[in-house]
Amino acid sequence: MIVAGVAVDKATLDFDKIFSYAVPENLRRDLKVGSIVLVPFGKGDKLRIGIVLQADFNRRRDEKLKYVADLKNADSRITPYTLSLIKHLKETTFCTWYEAVKAVIPYGGLYKIKGGFLSRQLTEYKTKYYGANPDCDRSIVKTEKQKAVYNAVKEGYLTEKELCRAAGVSVRVIKTLEEKGALIVKTRDRHTVAYNHIQKCRDRVELSGEQQKVFEEIETCTDNKTHLLYGVTSSGKSMVFIKLIQNVLRRGGGAMVLVPEISLTPQMIRLMREYFGDTVSVIHSKLTDTERLLQYNLILNGQSKVVVGTRSAVFAPVENLKLIIIDEEHERSFKSENSPRYSAIRVAQFIAKTHGVKLVLSSATPSVESYFLAQKGFYHLHKLEQRYAQLPLPSVEIIDMSQQRLVGDTGPVSNVVLRYLAENKAAEKQSIVLINRRGYQTIGICKECKEPLKCLDCSVNLVKHKRQNRLMCHYCGRVYPIIDRCPKCGGEIIYGGFGTQHIEEYIQNAIPTAKILRMDADTTQKIGAHEEMLAAFGRKEYDILIGTQMVAKGLDFEDVNLVCVFGADAMLNYPGYSAGEQAFDLITQVIGRAGRRSRGAKAVIQTFDGQNPVLNLAAKQDYPDFYSGEIAYRKLNMYPPFCTLITVAFTHYNRAVCAKDAKTYLDIIKKMSTPEIPLICLGPVPFDVEMVNKNYRWRLSIKCRNNQRFRDFLNGVTERYLKDKNNKSSVYINVNPMTE
């Protein structure tokens, strides 16, 4: 009898395992590891989708097993390499088998059940895009929701999903407007290769003496240690990457380059394609399922030798992979906060160790954990301490708004900053403005009862979006109309705080002739928006680029001579032990965007805490001094890298039940713990944002040594918790979480 070992979708942690199913005669010939199957599951034999992870062709015939109901092989291939990644995620991230499968391979979720059989969810390779019909009778756009849809597509085409999110409406509203003729519908072929308009045009790499030294150190190293490249902003780390990749390709190997965010992808892709042409594949979250699958197959077939992408690209099955480069390795976006909650850096280290791949981490502000390991000799440390062409770092000025207010300077943008922006424009130079909050105003509060306007589904303040004429919850996405009276007492609502929209409007009013480009989550929803915006700014079509953290890192524009930072105080007060590190990194990175091709560049930090040591060290670009203070703080309080921090999170629609279940889990830990497994438990306490999407959230924090013994222990605690039907809250485990 042939038996398939199947990972089943929608399994929960308490019964997650590889289930055995007999394969009927008519499907045996097609069975292989990686096949998508349909299997009866549970007492009621309800059909579920699964993926074959094991195949045994010599099992006893007297075993009583259920039979596979259907099987598909289109696109399905699991190699020993991808199977090792699936097992690694299962063992280290406390996820289910099927969650690990869907993270590693792109075709895991592309099937649905239809009429008792498997059916592909993607039956065509075209995507529909919606635009506004300027010639339609506007009277047919009647309701507020219809107007929101029409206004959302005035400036460009959006997919159905993007439009629903942008306008805060259901698909039905879009279909109604389509039927009325208010929307123009276009289709685009999904087969197009991403970024295929960028052709190979470069080959020669000229390195400075310092760059050549680092290149040779990494290239000639034969041990299995991780390499940490610490290079100041604009020191030319990318050229070292190119030289390393060229050598790998000459020897018949493949390479992978990971960047933290989609906003950084276009410039890195452009650089890679200019050097390596159509051997470059791209993987990131803005690709459709089909586009991702097409890129995956190009890599799997060996047509692509270099992969560029965000976090999920670490699973790409690059043929003869010999080099992984992780740029801006300090960025927290390399850590997934959805199951499986993996770190791309830890996955890359697993690949490097088990498959003999060279791993290079790179940053101008290395994570405290990485720099600590380098200082202790666990990583190779390489330094680029000079900017390319010996250009100096920008001069930095801290503007203390508590002092400015004494002289009547009370606007969201200081008069000093406005003067600098105007002078920079007059000099025909460009400016970048960072404000790490999108929207117009970040809080609405009642003058009478002092209650802020909060989301009904989440315990967070609503943000006013003036352009969209609505209030929005940035956690669940729910939208509300803008109101001027308190719903509780009828008092007047006053809106305060500022986001990217407000700063854009304020600067535009102060400098009317300035051409301003705003780059945030609201303006980059359209496919290709990041690339289009950055290309336009690079062509000097705009004087000022205003945006969230997506404008702070990795960007290289030769005419940017001024950088301004707003909202630094909010960054410093972010919840969590790493708030200081995150603020230092972001400010240091954005300051480094200025003066990359010329002298005399300037950066300005606007704050109400001018004496803050983190801001002053960031202003001086003094990473060593910042690290010294931060590592002492971490050691004193037993934070990473001196321990692993585990969050055990509980969610339930009833607050009391959630709190009770968290306490029950802690009691189980106390009963099962032994001296051989050292740990410190903190809590349970509510999350800083206690309610999201009508579900309350509580957590336990565990400081521990994250080894196999501890993971087995925590899996045992979780299994015991889940088997007790009195415990109603969902539970998940997050290793070294990057957010609260």
Side-chain angles (χ1 to χ4, degrees):
M1 180 169 62
I2 298 176
V3 175
V6 179
V8 180
D9 193 12
K10 299 175 183 175
T12 56
L13 289 172
D14 58 327
F15 65 86
D16 180 53
K17 63 178 183 179
I18 298 177
F19 295 91
S20 295
Y21 285 89
V23 182
E25 188 73 37
N26 63 314
L27 298 178
R28 289 178 185 176
R29 217 163 94 187
D30 296 327
L31 178 74
K32 61 182 179 180
V33 173
S35 296
I36 308 291
V37 291
L38 192 62
V39 294
F41 192 82
K43 291 181 181 179
D45 283 344
K46 188 173 181 180
L47 293 176
R48 290 199 187 183
I49 295 173
I51 291 185
V52 177
L53 296 182
Q54 299 172 357
D56 188 345
F57 295 89
N58 297 295
R59 289 285 281 270
R60 296 195 323 269
R61 291 188 175 276
D62 58 345
E63 286 188 81
K64 293 183 178 180
L65 297 176
K66 297 178 183 180
Y67 279 85
V68 171
D70 193 16
L71 182 150
K72 300 289 184 185
N73 276 323
D75 306 312
S76 57
R77 281 171 286 180
I78 291 183
T79 65
Y81 175 81
T82 53
L83 189 57
S84 73
L85 295 180
I86 291 167
K87 290 179 178 178
H88 174 73
L89 287 185
K90 170 62 180 170
E91 291 170 1
T92 60
T93 69
F94 303 95
C95 69
T96 67
W97 279 106
Y98 203 81
E99 286 170 338
V101 166
K102 288 199 289 187
V104 173
I105 57 177
Y107 58 82
L110 299 185
Y111 287 82
K112 61 184 177 181
I113 303 171
K114 188 175 181 180
F117 294 94
L118 287 167
S119 174
R120 283 185 66 92
Q121 294 199 58
L122 301 172
T123 56
E124 59 176 288
Y125 288 86
K126 291 185 179 294
T127 302
K128 290 174 71 173
Y129 291 84
Y130 294 90
N133 182 358
D135 301 323
C136 75
D137 181 356
R138 296 295 178 87
S139 65
I140 64 176
V141 184
K142 296 178 179 180
T143 68
E144 289 300 316
K145 288 185 177 181
Q146 289 177 352
K147 290 175 182 177
V149 169
Y150 191 84
N151 291 334
V153 292
K154 272 185 176 179
E155 296 181 3
Y157 282 79
L158 297 175
T159 64
E160 183 176 272
K161 184 177 179 181
E162 292 168 340
L163 186 48
C164 286
R165 185 168 62 242
V169 300
S170 67
V171 174
R172 184 64 256 168
V173 180
I174 298 171
K175 296 299 182 186
T176 299
L177 286 182
E178 180 183 351
E179 291 164 5
K180 289 182 175 183
L183 298 179
I184 298 172
V185 183
K186 292 186 177 181
T187 59
R188 186 181 300 172
D189 190 352
R190 291 182 183 176
H191 273 296
T192 54
V193 179
Y195 306 96
N196 65 350
H197 61 284
I198 306 171
Q199 300 298 314
K200 186 178 188 304
C201 59
R202 302 164 72 178
D203 188 58
R204 185 175 174 80
V205 178
E206 293 185 6
L207 301 181
S208 67
E210 190 180 41
Q211 289 171 321
Q212 183 66 26
K213 179 175 179 291
V214 167
F215 163 73
E216 290 173 359
E217 288 173 352
I218 297 173
E219 176 67 16
T220 57
C221 186
T222 57
D223 64 29
N224 217 16
K225 284 185 184 179
T226 298
H227 297 265
L228 177 62
L229 174 51
Y230 162 39
V232 299
T233 54
S234 195
S235 56
K237 296 183 287 292
S238 297
M239 288 299 102
V240 177
F241 301 164
I242 294 294
K243 191 74 171 176
L244 288 168
I245 295 170
Q246 284 181 335
N247 276 18
V248 164
L249 295 184
R250 286 193 193 104
R251 293 192 292 266
M256 179 187 297
V257 182
L258 303 186
V259 293
E261 294 182 28
I262 297 168
S263 59
L264 302 184
T265 311
Q267 288 203 340
M268 183 60 77
I269 292 168
R270 177 170 292 278
L271 179 65
M272 292 296 156
R273 286 192 66 91
E274 285 178 355
Y275 274 97
F276 307 116
D278 57 10
T279 65
V280 177
S281 269
V282 182
I283 295 179
H284 57 69
S285 61
K286 284 289 186 180
L287 299 180
T288 66
D289 286 337
T290 301
E291 288 169 336
R292 183 184 290 261
L293 182 58
L294 290 169
Q295 293 292 301
Y296 180 88
N297 284 335
L298 286 172
I299 299 163
L300 193 60
N301 294 332
Q303 293 172 257
S304 296
K305 303 295 185 184
V306 181
V307 173
V308 181
T310 49
R311 179 178 63 225
S312 61
V314 74
F315 301 116
V318 179
E319 186 179 56
N320 195 25
L321 180 64
K322 292 299 180 185
L323 175 67
I324 301 175
I325 295 169
I326 302 183
D327 197 19
E328 313 290 0
E329 65 87 24
H330 64 278
E331 279 295 323
R332 55 183 184 165
S333 55
F334 283 121
K335 173 72 167 60
S336 170
E337 295 303 317
N338 296 309
S339 192
R341 294 172 174 84
Y342 67 91
S343 161
I345 293 175
R346 300 294 164 255
V347 173
Q349 287 175 328
F350 167 77
I351 294 169
K353 182 178 179 180
T354 56
H355 297 280
V357 177
K358 189 164 288 186
L359 173 61
V360 180
L361 309 180
S362 171
S363 177
T365 54
S367 69
V368 170
E369 290 89 341
S370 292
Y371 201 71
F372 174 81
L373 292 170
Q375 295 283 62
K376 293 295 182 181
F378 295 104
Y379 291 179
H380 291 295
L381 179 61
H382 313 277
K383 293 185 179 181
L384 290 173
E385 299 180 293
Q386 299 293 324
R387 277 190 148 194
Y388 193 72
Q390 305 296 309
L391 289 169
L393 289 164
S395 62
V396 183
E397 179 180 348
I398 295 178
I399 297 177
D400 192 330
M401 292 304 290
S402 61
Q403 299 299 314
Q404 290 299 113
R405 288 195 168 190
L406 298 177
V407 294
D409 189 357
T410 59
V413 181
S414 164
N415 293 333
V416 179
V417 174
L418 290 174
R419 174 164 54 84
Y420 289 156
L421 288 168
E423 290 172 352
N424 204 49
K425 178 186 179 304
E428 298 185 345
K429 295 291 185 179
Q430 293 175 295
S431 305
I432 290 179
V433 174
L434 168 70
I435 166 66
N436 204 24
R437 292 296 299 271
R438 66 187 176 102
Y440 187 76
Q441 290 170 308
T442 55
I443 187 171
I445 194 165
C446 175
K447 284 179 69 175
E448 303 299 326
C449 68
K450 309 303 181 187
E451 281 291 315
L453 295 176
K454 287 185 175 289
C455 177
L456 298 177
D457 296 341
C458 309
S459 50
V460 293
N461 295 332
L462 294 171
V463 177
K464 181 179 178 181
H465 286 248
K466 189 175 181 181
R467 294 281 179 88
Q468 293 87 350
N469 193 35
R470 63 191 179 187
L471 299 173
M472 179 181 286
C473 173
H474 286 179
Y475 271 72
C476 70
R478 183 170 174 177
V479 297
Y480 303 79
I482 294 175
I483 57 176
D484 55 13
R485 289 290 165 184
C486 177
K488 292 185 177 179
C489 72
E492 182 185 354
I493 296 291
I494 294 184
Y495 292 95
F498 50 84
T500 49
Q501 291 182 4
H502 196 178
I503 296 298
E504 177 190 19
E505 180 182 276
Y506 195 88
I507 293 174
Q508 190 70 79
N509 290 335
I511 314 173
T513 58
K515 296 176 182 176
I516 301 177
L517 176 65
R518 176 166 56 88
M519 195 170 178
D520 55 26
D522 295 316
T523 62
T524 56
Q525 292 181 351
K526 189 178 74 170
I527 292 175
H530 291 93
E531 184 182 16
E532 292 171 12
M533 287 183 168
L534 295 176
F537 190 69
R539 294 191 298 267
K540 297 195 69 174
E541 294 175 15
Y542 296 92
D543 305 305
I544 302 171
L545 173 61
I546 297 175
T548 52
Q549 60 179 330
M550 62 179 67
V551 306
K553 299 153 289 192
L555 304 182
D556 189 354
F557 297 107
E558 62 181 32
D559 283 313
V560 171
N561 231 34
L562 174 66
V563 164
C564 307
V565 180
F566 300 111
D569 308 295
M571 300 179 212
L572 293 166
N573 292 316
Y574 189 85
Y577 69 90
S578 61
E581 180 184 13
Q582 292 173 31
F584 178 88
D585 292 347
L586 190 58
I587 294 168
T588 301
Q589 292 285 338
V590 74
I591 287 172
R593 300 312 105 204
R596 299 175 72 87
R597 298 290 189 279
S598 60
R599 299 177 183 274
K602 187 177 187 65
V604 180
I605 303 171
Q606 184 175 296
T607 177
F608 282 93
D609 187 9
Q611 301 305 310
N612 187 283
V614 172
L615 296 184
N616 280 274
L617 288 170
K620 292 189 289 185
Q621 305 267 289
D622 192 344
Y623 178 82
D625 269 11
F626 168 77
Y627 169 80
S628 297
E630 184 69 11
I631 200 68
Y633 160 74
R634 301 275 185 97
K635 186 175 183 179
L636 179 66
N637 293 281
M638 190 56 71
Y639 284 126
F642 299 100
C643 73
T644 298
L645 188 64
I646 303 275
T647 292
V648 185
F650 305 84
T651 62
H652 196 271
Y653 62 83
N654 183 294
R655 187 178 192 273
V657 170
C658 195
K660 184 270 295 181
D661 288 348
K663 176 64 167 58
T664 298
Y665 194 99
L666 176 61
D667 291 339
I668 297 172
I669 288 178
K670 290 177 179 178
K671 289 177 184 176
M672 294 182 63
S673 63
T674 65
E676 290 76 30
I677 305 174
L679 55 85
I680 300 171
C681 283
L682 305 174
V685 295
F687 276 83
D688 293 311
V689 177
E690 184 178 5
M691 184 173 68
V692 174
N693 269 327
K694 296 183 179 179
N695 279 308
Y696 290 93
R697 311 186 305 161
W698 279 61
R699 67 183 174 193
L700 281 168
S701 296
I702 305 174
K703 295 179 179 180
C704 62
R705 184 181 298 125
N706 183 17
N707 53 26
Q708 190 61 54
R709 177 182 287 181
F710 173 79
R711 291 193 294 272
D712 290 343
F713 164 76
L714 203 57
N715 277 322
V717 172
T718 305
E719 184 178 354
R720 187 165 168 180
Y721 167 87
L722 290 170
K723 283 185 175 178
D724 186 344
K725 300 306 178 184
N726 292 316
N727 301 323
K728 306 296 184 183
S729 300
S730 298
V731 61
Y732 67 82
I733 298 167
N734 200 351
V735 181
N736 284 333
M738 300 303 290
T739 58
E740 53 128 355

